[in-house]
Amino acid sequence: MQSKQSPVLRLSVIAVAAHLTALTAGAAFAEEADTAAPAKSEVVITGKKLGMGLMVTEDAPKARSTITAEELEKQRPTGNAYQALEMLPAVNSYNYDATGLFGGGMTLRGFNSDQIGATINGVPVNDSGNFAVYPQEYVDQENTCSQFVTQGSTDVDSPQVGATGGNFGITTCAPEKTQRVRVMQTAGQLNMWKTFVRYDTGAMLDGKLTAFISASHAQTDKWKGQGQANRNHIDLGVNYDWDRFNYIHATVLFNKAVNNNIYNPTLAELKANGYYFDYADTFKGHLTPVKGTAQVETTQTPVAYYGLSVNPFKNIIASAVSKFRLTDNLDVAFTPYMWYGFGNGGTQQRAQSEKSFYNPATGKRDQTVDLNGDGDTLDTVLVASASVTRTVRPGANLAFIYTTDNHEIKTGVWWERARHEQTGPMLALGNDGNRADIWLQDGQIDRPDGHPAMSRDWISVSTAYQAFLQDTISLADDKLKINVGVRTPYIKRDFTNFGDENNTVKPFQFNKTYNEVLPQLGARYRITNDDQVFASVAKNMKAPPNFIFGNIGSNVIVDAATNLPVTFKDTQPETSWSGDLGYRHQDNKFIATVTAFYTDFKNKQASSFDPETAKNTYLNIGREKHSGLEVELGNTPINGWAFYGSLGFLKTELKDNQYGFIGTTKVLLPTAGKDAPNAPRRKAGLSVEYQDGPFWVRAKARATSKQYASLLNDEVAPGYTTFDFDGGYTFANFGWLKRPKLTFNISNITDKQFRNPSSTTVINAQPYQGVAASSVGRYYMAAPRFASATLSVDF
């Protein structure tokens, strides 16, 4: 088990002052702690250093927040998209470790990440099956120029069928116009190491063509237990600009990572085993095979061997954002893309009976295979098995923009076809816990008919379409701007279940379609040149996840005599109406935004994947209402000082009760009126920065109130406040070394221990009037204090 790292910190007077200021802001949270996008071709960033990159001036007739490269380059280079957004008042984000390499979670105004649309350069990156987001996979932070959040609804042309809670997007940096090589080296505790190299060609072909390619390698040990994260990444960008009206901007983003998982304990395990409880250091091994005697092996408990709890994954996102001027009034924007992903996750262990292999002809599990070579088929043997996913996902977004007088009319279509193959192959395990292939492809165990044995064997083909239309009307010399729009997302799920070693059912198919008409209306009015008000209302939709078609016994009811499905209990798409009302002040010294919001859900969906049981959980919560207030403040530097502050207030309310069972007796669980899980009522952030020429230093604080871990609110994660400290110095050019820069980052300075719930599908975490807990609630534990430093230089 890894020991805690505790470097001696020497905080400057500036940092201490900022620390005390932030502590005061977070005091109210601590008191209650222990109680039970459309495709874009360029990044538009204001010249003002408002909020030091945490805010920019906004003009959209809806709630929107943007952070820029100026902020991103101050953060640890291994960080992911969720970490970058953590200071925003609407965002409740957390990471599984301090580096960000292991991933993380996020809620936005109480909406889970699988309810939030996510795009990179206009390409949708939510999982095509369950809409999950994996923020550590997509892009190197050194190549990210901006991230934005539309908190209440997606943009009208955003390519989404699974977003009821807003959208966040990432825009990568364009190639430089001057030839350059940039090298960055980061080192930190826990053997953390990242090397990043980027080459820019500079302008070629009369200045029309620019390109870059970058490569990076990052790794770190886990902060508890054995294992590490290991990531290799390549980004490629090519821009061809005829002029500002005609261009093609293409990117290819490749990522390959193999991570050991960090164990997420239950509350009981946390109390019994302590904060640093993790996966086992060694594999339990096999029983000695004896012919004629049944050896029954079980999965390793209470925790699996760390070498089997892994997440190997690789993916490619390729896109070409293009725009062409057809006439003086008509432009066409076209973004074709391809998304490919392959890998597995969870814990690769399964106790497989030698006499329970699947027969697709009968739908029964009555075939036999001798797994341990003892000459009989009486045994149950531990094998390596996990959920493997392969996705091939081409798509395209096409829009026509017509401008006349005071109207800008945008109309177009989006299409994609995602082939989502989900299997669960099995491989033999050695006595040391190793298998032939961590990707679970080579050395698969076959059934008697020669087909690989599978814990699941599905293919989902999800074909999505969307037509959209929007008119942006500018009136009164652009004092008043009105957006009127509509989008019509449609998705068809073609699902084939080939049968597996988990269920008794013959192969079957389902075809289901989901669609909605989603209107949008927004308005912005400039009271003065520096002051404006805005309001918006929009309807949103999220289709059910693909795995409900494979939920045997719940969504899919099987006839015991024929082993064929007789009933499919379909679920309605989740829909929401979301409204914003806000005020912005934006002058050359100070900006502030205040936004009130309200969201009304119907058929609220909650889904999760438990890596310990390898099971997907789906729950229709019913009706749910969210409302709140968000405040952001930022300034341009005053005598070198810059400040950013945020406050978020959130109220959530479940409107329907859930039910449990005592035997066959249905029992009401009074969830109506309770708070939604993973939705802290209050959140605050404060950043205080001082810059003097090439030197800068800042302190950040983030306070989060308590959040519930179940729909019944019978288990709670206490509130917490964390503090970070960053700084840097840019040296003068030295010969052929340009812009040498040294930065350092220290996160969680006070070594605060806290936890975040990992699921939104737990109805009751504790027994209730004879009804057993619906499922086990697990927690992501906060990483301890962590320090790193980065040296960057251009050639």
Side-chain angles (χ1 to χ4, degrees), residues 233-276:
H233 193 90
I234 298 173
D235 290 339
L236 171 68
V238 179
N239 285 10
Y240 194 90
D241 295 82
W242 287 270
D243 52 48
R244 65 192 182 96
F245 302 113
N246 299 275
Y247 53 77
I248 298 175
H249 296 171
T251 56
V252 179
L253 315 175
F254 169 78
N255 191 81
K256 181 180 180 181
V258 178
N259 291 355
N260 291 101
N261 294 323
I262 298 173
Y263 188 68
N264 306 321
T266 66
L267 191 57
E269 289 175 331
L270 182 62
K271 291 178 179 178
N273 302 297
Y275 198 83
Y276 284 76

Side-chain angles (χ1 to χ4, degrees), residues 421-587:
E421 181 181 353
Q422 296 174 284
T423 59
M426 305 180 196
L427 274 67
L429 275 175
N431 263 325
D432 57 0
N434 287 324
R435 58 289 195 208
D437 180 15
I438 196 172
W439 300 86
L440 301 182
Q441 298 303 291
D442 297 332
Q444 294 179 359
I445 296 169
D446 289 340
R447 301 171 187 154
D449 63 4
H451 189 282
M454 297 286 180
S455 60
R456 68 174 179 178
D457 196 359
W458 309 338
I459 290 180
S460 302
V461 177
S462 300
T463 306
Y465 303 90
Q466 176 175 266
F468 54 88
L469 173 65
Q470 177 178 276
D471 187 7
T472 302
I473 309 166
S474 179
L475 302 172
D477 197 23
D478 201 39
K479 282 189 174 182
L480 176 63
K481 180 182 288 186
I482 300 173
N483 274 0
V484 181
V486 63
R487 62 190 188 97
T488 60
Y490 165 99
I491 183 171
K492 180 183 179 184
R493 300 244 195 231
D494 295 302
F495 180 87
T496 302
N497 189 330
F498 297 101
D500 52 58
E501 272 64 21
N502 269 355
N503 298 290
T504 302
V505 60
K506 291 180 180 178
F508 64 88
Q509 291 182 307
F510 283 122
N511 299 287
K512 294 290 181 180
T513 60
Y514 305 94
N515 61 282
E516 288 281 347
V517 176
L518 306 178
Q520 297 186 2
L521 175 64
R524 182 269 295 150
Y525 182 76
R526 286 187 182 145
I527 304 170
T528 70
N529 287 336
D530 298 330
D531 299 275
Q532 59 179 255
V533 293
F534 63 90
S536 68
V537 63
K539 187 179 182 181
N540 305 290
M541 181 199 86
K542 175 187 175 183
N546 72 318
F547 64 76
I548 64 171
F549 302 104
N551 282 352
I552 308 297
S554 54
N555 293 90
V556 180
I557 307 302
V558 176
D559 182 273
T562 63
N563 287 335
L564 284 170
V566 293
T567 303
F568 175 66
K569 296 181 179 179
D570 199 4
T571 185
Q572 295 300 310
E574 174 183 297
T575 58
S576 70
W577 280 97
S578 183
D580 293 309
L581 178 63
Y583 163 78
R584 298 182 182 117
H585 174 83
Q586 303 178 144
D587 62 33

Side-chain angles (χ1 to χ4, degrees), residues 72-77 184-187 694 696 725-731 739-746 787-792:
L72 293 167
E73 70 178 8
K74 297 169 188 171
Q75 299 182 8
R76 185 171 288 126
M184 298 178 65
Q185 182 62 59
T186 303
W696 68 273
F725 189 59
D726 310 307
Y729 189 89
T730 302
F731 299 90
R739 199 174 175 261
K741 183 174 66 171
L742 181 65
T743 60
F744 66 88
N745 305 93
I746 306 174
S788 64
T790 302
L791 178 63
S792 171

Side-chain angles (χ1 to χ4, degrees), residues 625-644:
K625 297 185 186 299
H626 294 197
S627 58
L629 185 72
E630 295 160 358
V631 181
E632 283 188 277
L633 307 166
N635 74 294
T636 54
I638 302 173
N639 296 323
W641 290 91
F643 300 84
Y644 169 85

